[in-house]
Amino acid sequence: MKILITGGAGFIGLNFINYTLKHHPGDEIICFDKLTYAADSTAVKRLADEKKITFVQGDIADAAAVGRLFCAEKFDAVVNFAAETHVDRSIKFPAEFVRSNVTGVQVLLDMCLKYGVLRFHQISTDEVYGSAAKMPFDESAALVPTSVYAASKAAADLIALSYFKTHNLEVTVERSSNNYGAYQHPEKLIPLAISRALGGQKIPLYGTGENRRCWLYITDHCRATDMLLRRGRAGEIYNISAESEKTNIEVVRAILAKLNMPDNLISFVKDRAGHDLQYTIDSSKIKNELNWRDETDFDSGLGQTVDWYLNNRARLHEITSSAQYKEYFKDIYGGELF
Ligand code: NAD
Ligand code: TYD
């Protein structure tokens, strides 16, 4: 299969490329990525230099650039990871989220129609359902997104599914819970906590630290995406989550314990605006239809993640010591942590 992987230089995309190279060595992979601050350009360029993939730099919302790509290559499928992904940034800089997450998806879908690509898999998020109350949300739950990030992803889901209904494009949409593992940018909670702890710096926890997330280990996610790409039913949405709901303070304490660092590095800071309390989704559909299971318990996944960052300290340091990151950090957390 010849697969276009958009956003393949980011956290989940890079892991998915590596998963596909390992499990489907006969597949041909073309990665198209804008290389925003969140991308690991070194890792993706290394894969291209080793001739394992083809890499093209570009923006999915740039119809001319995407058109040239589709004209040059005949893809069997598109898997779209490309997006602006950080809730805190979406509060401050909403325009980029609408452009990449909504317009970008519409451009990709139109190019699929124009160039006869039959299969489109959209990577979405459980955040489109909004904060859960009691019952876990299944795929038919109402969409009640609370951030621009989540709202832009919800819009993209609906647009993608409309191409199935209107044009018979074989669209599937997956909505996964919070991921953790190698290559995640240290703006997100787990790598942020690891990087701050390694530097002996205060770790910011929003509000009381009691907000909850269900943590899905990256390899379990990649296996689910692979199954959905090959065997998911067109026109369907699939939730993906692991049985590992934790409060944020539990997560950070677990990281500190693994690094033998004291809990007093935790610093409670002003809460995120519109902070969703928890996301709880029901993944019975992918389990029943495709026999997918999450196989990595949180303790072992977190151990592997901490080890990866310890082995990649130079990269972590390169990101967190950059002027761009420092400016971002000040912008989001103000003077509270300095
Ligand atoms: P990420 O921020 O690490 O990477 C996103 C990648 O997309 C980057 O390489 C970036 O350069 C690229 N990109 C951004 N805008 C682009 C554009 N306009 N054109 C081309 N490339 C562009 O994100 P991630 O965590 O890997 O998330 C990937 C997908 O998974 C996203 O769609 C996200 O909504 C979804 N998701 C993420 C999580 C999570 O916990 N990380 C959970 C559920 C769903
Ligand atoms: P994050 O990793 O940004 O993912 P999301 O907001 O998409 O769930 O945040 C995970 C949780 O951690 C969320 O409840 C917000 C919280 N959080 C903090 O308490 N402090 C931080 O500095 C960050 C980045 C997140």
Side-chain angles (χ1 to χ4, degrees):
M1 179 149 65
K2 184 165 177 171
I3 314 170
L4 172 62
I5 299 181
T6 48
F11 163 43
I12 307 178
L14 259 173
N15 280 282
F16 184 71
I17 288 177
N18 284 326
Y19 184 95
T20 306
L21 288 170
K22 182 171 171 194
H23 294 273
H24 304 283
D27 282 357
E28 192 182 338
I29 296 172
I30 291 88
C31 169
F32 184 77
D33 195 297
K34 189 177 170 183
L35 298 184
T36 69
Y37 75 93
D40 189 331
S41 57
T42 311
V44 84
K45 284 176 182 163
R46 192 183 311 123
L47 289 171
D49 288 346
E50 291 167 354
K51 308 259 182 273
K52 291 180 176 161
I53 65 166
T54 302
F55 174 68
V56 180
Q57 184 171 1
D59 179 348
I60 58 166
D62 177 348
V66 179
R68 283 193 296 278
L69 177 73
F70 275 69
C71 185
E73 309 269 3
K74 173 85 179 84
F75 305 115
D76 298 305
V78 176
V79 184
N80 178 37
F81 294 93
E84 290 291 336
T85 61
H86 193 35
V87 173
D88 292 322
R89 286 188 197 256
S90 82
I91 296 168
K92 296 230 168 207
F93 317 108
E96 260 320 290
F97 284 72
V98 176
R99 179 182 151 79
S100 292
N101 301 5
V102 183
T103 305
V105 173
Q106 169 257 311
V107 167
L108 289 173
L109 290 160
D110 276 344
M111 294 303 164
C112 285
L113 293 187
K114 186 168 175 188
Y115 292 97
V117 178
L118 300 176
R119 184 76 184 87
F120 185 90
H121 183 64
Q122 168 68 0
I123 310 294
S124 184
T125 166
D126 62 358
E127 299 194 25
V128 297
Y129 299 118
S131 202
K134 289 191 188 104
M135 295 292 288
F137 293 127
D138 70 13
E139 291 81 355
S140 65
L143 302 182
V144 192
T146 48
S147 67
V148 170
Y149 164 62
S152 65
K153 296 297 291 184
D157 289 7
L158 298 179
I159 292 168
L161 290 165
S162 82
Y163 278 65
F164 168 72
K165 296 209 178 80
T166 311
H167 302 287
N168 276 324
L169 184 62
E170 291 174 20
V171 171
T172 42
V173 172
E174 56 150 82
R175 295 175 177 155
S176 81
S177 60
N178 286 62
N179 285 224
Y180 67 109
Y183 293 111
Q184 191 169 29
H185 190 277
E187 65 187 354
K188 306 280 170 38
L189 180 66
I190 288 183
L192 174 83
I194 296 171
S195 110
R196 302 280 300 175
L198 287 175
Q201 296 161 302
K202 291 282 183 194
I203 300 166
L205 268 183
Y206 293 144
T208 59
E210 291 300 322
N211 296 58
R212 310 174 74 84
R213 296 292 183 263
C214 280
W215 293 97
L216 173 67
Y217 189 58
I218 188 67
T219 315
D220 289 334
H221 182 181
C222 290
R223 199 173 56 262
T225 302
D226 182 58
M227 285 176 171
L228 292 172
L229 173 64
R230 287 156 212 275
R231 295 194 279 130
R233 284 187 294 131
E236 296 291 322
I237 302 163
Y238 293 86
N239 288 344
I240 313 167
S241 89
E243 310 291 326
S244 50
E245 190 174 74
K246 305 265 174 240
T247 62
N248 294 334
I249 194 160
E250 284 171 336
V251 170
V252 174
R253 282 197 181 125
I255 291 168
L256 289 169
K258 290 205 181 295
L259 292 169
N260 287 319
M261 297 295 277
D263 281 3
N264 66 10
L265 283 182
I266 293 172
S267 172
F268 294 98
V269 298
K270 185 166 171 272
D271 208 353
R272 171 187 279 172
H275 194 176
D276 286 333
L277 181 62
Q278 60 188 28
Y279 306 114
T280 313
I281 55 172
D282 176 348
S283 303
S284 307
K285 184 171 171 179
I286 188 171
K287 289 181 175 164
N288 294 338
E289 283 189 21
L290 300 176
N291 204 23
W292 174 84
R293 295 285 179 280
D294 57 298
E295 292 174 357
T296 316
D297 68 71
F298 186 70
D299 186 57
S300 121
L302 190 65
Q304 292 176 64
T305 305
V306 168
D307 285 348
W308 188 86
Y309 282 99
L310 284 172
N311 291 329
N312 289 273
R313 273 179 97 150
R315 167 185 140 76
L316 199 55
H317 182 71
E318 192 187 325
I319 299 171
T320 56
S321 60
S322 70
Q324 190 189 23
Y325 185 84
K326 284 185 176 157
E327 194 180 321
Y328 158 79
F329 210 84
K330 241 187 197 142
D331 226 21
I332 299 290
Y333 302 100
E336 285 188 83
L337 294 169
F338 293 92

